[in-house]
Amino acid sequence: MKNLQWRTLMVVAILIAGIVYLVPTLSSSLPSWWTKIFPTEKIHLGLDLQGGMHLVLEVESDKAVESTLERLAEDLKETLREQHVAFTQITRAKDLNIEIQLPGVDQQNQLKDILDKDFPTLEWKSGETGAEGMKVTLAMKPTEVERTKKMAVAQGLETIRNRIDQFGVSEPDIRPEGEDRILIQLPGVKEPQRAVALIGKTALLEFKLVAEGVTPQDIKDGKIPAGVKVYTMKREDKTTGQTYQSQIALKDRTLMTGEYITNAQVQIDTQYNTPYVSLTFDQQGGRIFERVTEANVKKQLAIVLDGVVYSAPVIQEKISGGRASITGSFSMEEARDLAIVLRAGALPAPVKILEQRTVGPALGKDSIQKGLLACLVGGISIIFFMVIYYKLSGVVADVALVMNIILILAGLAAFGATLTLPGIAGIALTIGMAVDANVLIYERIREEMRLGKTPRAALDAGYSKATVTIIDANITTLIAALVLFQFGTGPIRGFAVTLSIGLVANLFTAIVVTRIIFDYLLSERRMRTLSI
């Protein structure tokens, strides 16, 4: 008797816990006291159930190799200057090479020493002597090219994941696909274009000096000196609020990039009531920014984002404290998205959208209705069948079945799993397996009763003989489900999650819960026969 009470209390406690986890999903508004004590996590619906966006991106990893080569070329220039090695020109060639023009052959040994010591990723490709001196061609090692491409995809994946997390999408599915593709599924996204802009923005932030002495007429005539490039600049008329574009000449050398940013926040300009993005640099970035501003007082410092100049203020004095700001003609949403991409970091290479599909919520709603209708019709049919075929024992099996479904849904909410359309199929399969377990037990009990055993003896023998078979069937299926979860993706994982939770619930309800009810009926209600 005491043992039965403890088992009953355990089942009631688990049932109450399951209902507590289900309440946030069933109720649209929860009282404040509930949110302080009990869980508030709802069951997350997958892309196929609540609608959203499906994207396949291609990382242009060749661009990452080109950027790395450009950086190496700049670093090589600095190193040669520091080491007092004479050179005429260093340029990045189109075929992923770096070309160095030396005044003569005397500098080649010094160059080789520097390459061996400071640039192990570069290899000597050729050296040709001509009238102007010696032209050396360097190339990135093939292993380094492959590593750079893989890193570009891995870093791109991580950066996009950070951006989407900050954008506020719950349960996004982001994973690599093939060598250079990224698959993204965003359930519940209501502004797909804004999400695409946020994901696809490279967000490469650079600080460059404005080229002095280059007039708008020079830009128009194409008279651009060496080491200077023309950029597009966005300007805003503060009085009219209109934006327009112009061109500005900047020195090619990048003084600082956005890699040192630790925080980016939207602030409001109190004078014009317009948003701008405030940046905070880490310690190293703060020192670099201070050094840059100190060395260029009274010069224009351009803030370039993805090749577009947003502002080019004149440096009035050395700026300490590691802070800067980006002003421009931003709307509040644009400023927020810009702050998100700057906080998440720049993409190491641009991404190209190969596939974009939007799944409407109406389709998801229709899927939910049809899936629930299928489960409802199947469940009611099974309930009636069990009652008609097994009488009172069928009612016991139905009680266990209902508890089984409650525990599956509660498990989804408790583990933060996502319910997908295949997940609903997993629930339907679990319902079938739950009934099958009860049928196994009941048929064993019937066999024992035909041998003339008492209800108590038939019950003990039936459960004893059927339990091993039920455990075997559920454990082997559970192993398969766990393998699907580990190696599967998207919908397959959704199916594996509901199936795994359902199988564990099956074992509990079919073996423990129904046995407690039968024990209660025989010992407490003193039933002399089993209605089965």
Side-chain angles (χ1 to χ4, degrees), residues 352-370:
K352 189 166 63 179
I353 296 175
L354 296 181
E355 184 183 342
Q356 179 183 347
R357 283 189 284 120
T358 303
V359 181
L363 182 60
K365 192 177 178 182
D366 189 49
S367 301
I368 293 175
Q369 287 174 345
K370 287 183 178 175

Side-chain angles (χ1 to χ4, degrees), residues 33-67:
W33 59 266
W34 178 284
T35 56
K36 292 176 183 173
I37 305 171
F38 297 113
T40 56
E41 196 73 15
K42 293 184 178 182
I43 296 175
H44 298 293
L45 300 180
L47 183 69
D48 49 359
L49 292 183
Q50 65 168 320
M53 194 169 63
H54 170 98
L55 282 172
V56 177
L57 306 178
E58 183 182 61
V59 180
E60 297 183 59
S61 50
D62 286 341
K63 299 280 186 188
V65 178
E66 289 176 14
S67 301

Side-chain angles (χ1 to χ4, degrees), residues 6-22 400 402-411 414 501 504-509 512-513 516:
W6 278 111
R7 285 189 293 153
T8 305
L9 279 175
M10 178 189 68
V11 170
V12 171
I14 291 174
L15 181 61
I16 291 173
I19 292 171
V20 166
Y21 274 104
L22 264 184
V402 172
M403 186 172 174
N404 195 340
I405 295 170
I406 291 173
L407 293 181
I408 293 172
L409 297 177
I501 297 173
V504 175
N506 266 358
L507 289 173
F508 177 69
T509 55
V512 178
V513 175
I516 289 173

